[in-house]
Amino acid sequence: QAHLAESGGGLVQAGDSLRLSCAGSGGTFQSHAMGWFRQAPGLQREFVAAIGWSGERTIYEDDVKGRFTISRDRAKNTLSLQMVSLKPKHTPIYFCAADLIPRSSPLTEAFKDANSAYWGQGTQVTVSS
């Protein structure tokens, strides 16, 4: 049974950098679009970034553009999120996700149906001021 597991969260100060990782196991996600989402207590889950099956295409939420970088290693079945200039606005849990969409589909089509995607259990990121 394929699943995803995040790691790398922790406590950092505002302006610091942090790298999150997501490891797939029990199956390959090489054909999946993958992404990162975050959710703080009492708030809605928010899209952060996504990457296409080949790693060529990427999209980002406006607030993290220029600060976060999503990448993947298809051979290792892993996904990463490099975060710089972290802000203390919220202390969300970051989730990685994978969604099997046609290779010809725009990356924006991924994760439209959250229930159809694979989700990890999340990793907490706390940014202090």
Side-chain angles (χ1 to χ4, degrees):
Q1 184 175 0
H3 77 279
L4 300 169
E6 303 90 342
S7 62
L11 174 63
V12 297
Q13 293 184 322
D16 283 358
S17 298
L18 194 66
R19 185 178 180 86
L20 304 181
S21 296
C22 172
S25 62
T28 179
F29 292 94
Q30 292 183 356
S31 297
H32 292 65
M34 301 192 72
W36 289 96
F37 293 75
R38 61 189 179 188
Q39 185 173 25
L43 300 179
Q44 297 183 47
R45 182 172 294 180
E46 176 188 30
F47 169 77
V48 176
I51 188 167
W53 71 271
S54 69
E56 180 180 353
R57 298 170 296 166
T58 58
I59 54 175
Y60 295 90
E61 187 271 330
D62 289 341
D63 187 58
V64 308
K65 288 181 179 178
R67 298 189 299 112
F68 289 13
T69 302
I70 187 171
S71 62
R72 69 187 299 167
D73 187 327
R74 296 176 66 245
K76 295 182 178 180
N77 215 23
T78 59
L79 177 75
S80 297
L81 183 68
Q82 179 65 48
M83 306 183 292
V84 300
S85 300
L86 285 166
K87 301 176 181 180
K89 183 177 180 180
H90 300 297
T91 57
I93 296 176
Y94 280 74
F95 298 89
C96 67
D99 195 9
L100 186 61
I101 60 174
R103 292 184 175 184
S104 60
S105 296
L107 186 54
T108 52
E109 293 298 308
F111 312 111
K112 285 190 173 182
D113 184 358
N115 293 325
S116 68
Y118 290 88
W119 295 88
Q121 295 300 304
T123 184
Q124 180 78 55
V125 175
T126 301
V127 183
S128 62
S129 60

